[in-house]
Amino acid sequence: MDNNELVICQGLTKNYGKKTALNNLNLTLGRGQFIGLLGPNGSGKTTTIKLLNGLLQPSEGEVLLDGKSIWDAKGKCSRETRFRVGLVFQYPEYQLFEETIAKDIAYGPTNMKLPQTEIDERVRESMAAVGLAPELADQSPFALSGGQKRRVAIAGVLAMDPEVLILDEPTAGLDPEERLRFYNLLSELAVERIILLSTHIASDIEATCSKAAVLSSGTVVFEGQIEKLLQLGNGKVYTTTILQNELNQFKQKYRVISIYQNGINVSCRFLSNAAPKKEWVSCQPTIEDSYMYLLSSFKQEVE
C-alpha cells in the first residue's frame, strides 16, 4: 500500500433487494487530495459516501482505512472510522438541534469523551476555520442565514478533526455569492485533509478539485486528474445552425447540449463522434461538455 493512500475501496457492491446501487466500485483517496465525486442523480454517489463513513455495509467488497478494514468480524463499523472520516450531508443545517452554536459544534468532540478544555478549544478553532465570528458562539444556530447554518454544520464535523471530510451536494440551495464563498472555504480546508466533494454539477469541481471520479449506474467510469477529464471532449463538441423543423430529427442523431432559437433557425451545441460536416464549427469543450460526452459514451457501451 502506498503511504499516501489513506482510504481504499475494493470491489464495493451494494444491493438493495434486487436493485444494485453500486457494482464493483474501486476508488482511492490519497492524502492532500481534493476529489470530486461526480455523477447524475441515482448514480450511486450517496451510497458510496455512506459506505466510506461506515453508515452502510457493502454487500461485497471492503473499505480500507490505513490498510485496515473499517468493519470488524461481527460486521460492526469501528468507532474510530466515524471520527476519522467526517460526513456532511446535503442540507446539513436541518440537522442542527442544540440551543447555541457552540453546543452544536461541541456535540462530536463531547462524544469523543475529550476534556472540556480541549472541546472548548476545538469549538473555537472550528468556528475560525469556517469563518464564524467568536461572538456568535452563544447565539442560536436557527437565527443564521442558510450559508451560515451550513458553516456551523461543517464546523461540527471539523471539531472532530477528521482526516477525511466528505460533503454531499454542499452548495445545494445556496445563492451564487454564497456558493463562491463556500468553495473558497473548502479550498482552504483541503490544505490539511482529504476532501471528497459529491455533486452532480460538473462545473462545481472544476475550480476546486484536483481529481475527479465519475459514477454512472453504480460504476466508476472515470478516475483521474481534472485536466484529463476535460480533454475527453476534445474534437467532440460542435455548433451548427439548422431549421427549427429539423430539430427533433437532429436530436435523434446527436446529443444536443444547448439550443438557441433565432426565428426559423436554431443554433445547436452538440456532441458527436462522427466526422465533422463542413457546416459544423468545432468548439473548445467545457467540463460539462466532457462530462456529458463521458456519460453518453458509457450509456452507449452498456446498451
Side-chain angles (χ1 to χ4, degrees), residues 24-129:
N24 194 33
L25 180 141
N26 297 289
L27 184 65
T28 299
L29 308 183
R31 291 177 172 86
Q33 291 182 334
F34 193 155
I35 306 160
L37 183 64
L38 187 62
N41 292 329
S43 61
K45 300 189 304 296
T46 300
T47 296
T48 299
I49 62 178
K50 286 182 178 180
L51 288 168
L52 289 172
N53 182 256
L55 290 178
L56 288 178
Q57 188 171 9
S59 304
E60 297 178 22
E62 59 183 347
V63 177
L64 303 179
L65 182 60
D66 262 343
K68 299 179 181 179
S69 175
I70 66 173
W71 300 91
D72 62 23
K74 297 181 180 179
K76 183 178 180 181
C77 180
S78 68
R79 188 168 180 266
E80 176 190 21
T81 298
R82 302 288 169 81
F83 298 136
R84 295 181 67 186
V85 183
L87 176 56
V88 181
F89 285 108
Q90 187 176 4
Y91 299 110
E93 58 270 26
Y94 296 150
Q95 299 165 19
L96 302 176
F97 60 93
E98 290 284 4
E99 60 185 9
T100 70
I101 291 171
K103 287 182 178 180
D104 219 302
I105 297 173
Y107 181 79
T110 301
N111 283 341
M112 296 172 71
K113 303 187 185 304
L114 299 175
Q116 188 60 48
T117 53
E118 184 171 351
I119 292 174
D120 293 341
E121 181 63 22
R122 289 195 179 201
V123 170
R124 286 192 293 272
E125 290 179 350
S126 298
M127 288 185 64

Side-chain angles (χ1 to χ4, degrees), residues 126-133 136 148 151 185:
S126 298
M127 288 185 64
V130 301
L132 290 171
L136 294 175
Q148 287 177 314
R151 288 172 182 261
L185 166 64

Side-chain angles (χ1 to χ4, degrees), residues 200-215:
H200 68 282
I201 303 173
S203 58
D204 279 357
I205 71 170
E206 185 175 13
T208 52
C209 300
S210 57
K211 178 182 176 182
V214 180
L215 289 180

